[in-house]
Amino acid sequence: MTASNGIEQYSVPAVIDRFEGMAAVVRVEGGQELKWPVKKLPNHAKEGTVVRLTLSTTASEEVEREQLAKAILNELLKRTE
């Protein structure tokens, strides 16, 4: 989904299934699991807490990353000459 401000964003509901050390095992629809750092969870999150995982990007972030990648590549190419 792309908002009018140019941010592309997708989100899915998930449930904190269990904790393994300093990671929470988060289960999303379809049964897939991923480990998430406990320190980046909402306050008071516990097993069974429903959370929403969101992925987003903006066009400006993509341009910045592309420019950085080009600069790194140019620097590497200069070193090999």
Side-chain angles (χ1 to χ4, degrees):
M1 170 190 305
T2 303
S4 59
N5 60 4
I7 295 175
E8 190 171 2
Q9 182 171 314
Y10 300 94
S11 64
V12 294
V15 176
I16 298 173
D17 185 60
R18 64 188 179 278
F19 292 93
E20 294 180 355
M22 296 304 295
V25 178
V26 180
R27 185 180 299 254
V28 296
E29 294 175 352
Q32 295 104 343
E33 296 180 342
L34 65 98
K35 290 186 177 181
W36 191 267
V38 170
K39 65 183 178 183
K40 295 195 177 200
L41 288 173
N43 292 334
H44 310 294
K46 60 182 188 238
E47 289 181 13
T49 299
V50 176
V51 295
R52 182 163 293 278
L53 301 177
T54 303
L55 298 174
S56 64
T57 186
T58 63
S60 64
E61 289 174 345
E62 290 178 14
V63 169
E64 288 174 18
R65 289 180 187 202
E66 184 177 300
Q67 290 172 345
L68 177 60
K70 286 179 181 178
I72 292 170
L73 180 59
N74 286 333
E75 183 63 30
L76 290 173
L77 291 173
K78 286 180 186 176
R79 289 182 185 178
T80 60
E81 292 177 351

